[in-house]
């Protein structure tokens, strides 16, 4: 019963897995080159799609998104890959930055439980989701970005533009704990 952290070659992928370890959340960091079968063999209860330098560096991550019917959390590039996989639009940000941002949490639906109405985060805005897919809803926004977080309306598929794994996101651990609770609920409902 572990979460797989998909390494999309971003600088913080190892830190995501380490953060989960500190929270006693069973996890494994795996390369984004694994086949669908190799992922299935690991029998994960959830996937976290880590960040990365570009969509080209994402390996098989986009294939995983629509193939698996388990909770998925996309972080930064992972967030953008989810949008792209479901038909949303991603492009370069108007305000490229890497800084502390205050989120306005619009919906404390599961992922943002205990974090409503505001949350301080460390966010990367080189590329961002400009148009969400039809079957998604926005969970959080900021003065820099209209889509800091979103969720599929019928599935436990979430995306966040920010980095919960760094100390500049003081309550980032709550995001991971909430996601783990979502994953465990999925297992209990099977």
């Amino acid at each position: 019963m572990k979460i797989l952290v998909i390494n999309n070659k971003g600088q913080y992928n190892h830190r995501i897995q380490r953060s989960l370890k500190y929270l006693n959340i069973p996890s494994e960091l795996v390369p984004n080159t694994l086949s669908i079968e190799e992922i299935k063999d690991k029998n994960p209860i959830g996937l976290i799609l880590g960040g990365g330098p570009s969509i080209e560096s994402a390996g098989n991550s986009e294939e995983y998104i629509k193939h698996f019917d388990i909770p998925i959390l996309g972080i930064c590039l992972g967030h953008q890959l989810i949008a792209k996989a479901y038909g949303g639009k991603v492009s370069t940000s108007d305000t490229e930055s890497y800084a502390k941002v205050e989120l306005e949490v619009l919906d404390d639906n599961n992922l943002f439980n205990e974090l409503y109405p505001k949350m301080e985060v460390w966010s990367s805005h080189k590329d961002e989701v400009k148009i969400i897919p039809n079957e998604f809803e926005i969970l959080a926004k900021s003065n820099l970005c209209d889509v800091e977080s979103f969720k599929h309306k019928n599935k436990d598929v979430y995306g966040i533009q920010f980095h919960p794994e760094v100390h500049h996101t003081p309550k980032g651990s709550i995001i991971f704990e909430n996601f783990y609770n979502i994953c465990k609920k999925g297992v209990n409902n099977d």
Side-chain angles (χ1 to χ4, degrees):
M1 288 209 359
K2 65 184 165 195
I3 293 172
L4 294 185
V5 179
I6 308 299
N7 186 347
N8 283 320
K9 303 180 181 145
Q11 60 180 334
Y12 293 134
N13 286 256
H14 292 276
R15 187 172 281 189
I16 294 168
Q17 201 271 325
R18 200 171 330 125
S19 295
L20 296 174
K21 184 179 178 182
Y22 292 152
L23 294 167
N24 293 314
I25 297 173
S27 63
E28 180 183 351
L29 181 67
V30 298
N32 63 11
T33 53
L34 293 183
S35 68
I36 296 288
E37 280 306 312
E38 289 171 311
I39 296 281
K40 272 187 194 172
D41 288 346
K42 293 184 176 288
N43 197 27
I45 62 168
L47 299 178
I48 294 178
L49 305 174
S54 67
I55 287 178
E56 293 74 36
S57 70
N60 295 330
S61 289
E62 205 171 327
E63 285 179 45
Y64 308 150
I65 292 166
K66 290 182 105 172
H67 186 84
F68 292 101
D69 191 22
I70 56 176
I72 297 174
L73 173 62
I75 297 174
C76 199
L77 174 65
H79 166 69
Q80 296 156 19
L81 290 169
I82 291 169
K84 188 172 175 279
Y86 280 96
K89 298 284 183 245
V90 176
S91 64
T92 303
S93 171
D94 300 329
T95 55
E96 283 190 45
S97 70
Y98 199 63
K100 194 171 271 199
V101 175
E102 185 175 80
L103 292 192
E104 180 183 348
V105 177
L106 304 174
D107 187 338
D108 58 353
N109 174 326
N110 296 330
L111 192 65
F112 287 94
N113 188 30
E114 297 182 32
L115 297 169
Y116 183 83
K118 302 237 183 259
M119 179 183 183
E120 232 177 50
V121 301
W122 189 256
S123 197
S124 169
H125 288 96
K126 183 179 184 306
D127 295 318
E128 63 187 21
V129 176
K130 296 289 190 176
I131 300 172
I132 65 170
N134 290 334
E135 54 271 272
F136 281 72
E137 59 192 348
I138 296 172
L139 298 181
K141 65 179 186 173
S142 73
N143 64 334
L144 292 180
C145 178
D146 292 335
V147 189
E148 290 283 359
S149 177
F150 60 32
K151 180 200 180 295
H152 193 286
K153 291 175 184 173
N154 303 311
K155 300 179 182 181
D156 287 317
V157 177
Y158 300 83
I160 55 178
Q161 180 69 40
F162 61 92
H163 292 272
E165 71 276 13
V166 299
H167 73 276
H168 298 300
T169 302
K171 295 183 179 177
S173 61
I174 295 173
I175 293 285
F176 288 131
E177 289 168 335
N178 287 343
F179 182 66
Y180 184 46
N181 287 331
I182 292 165
C183 293
K184 288 190 298 187
K185 260 191 252 174
V187 170
N188 294 335
N189 290 336
D190 286 346

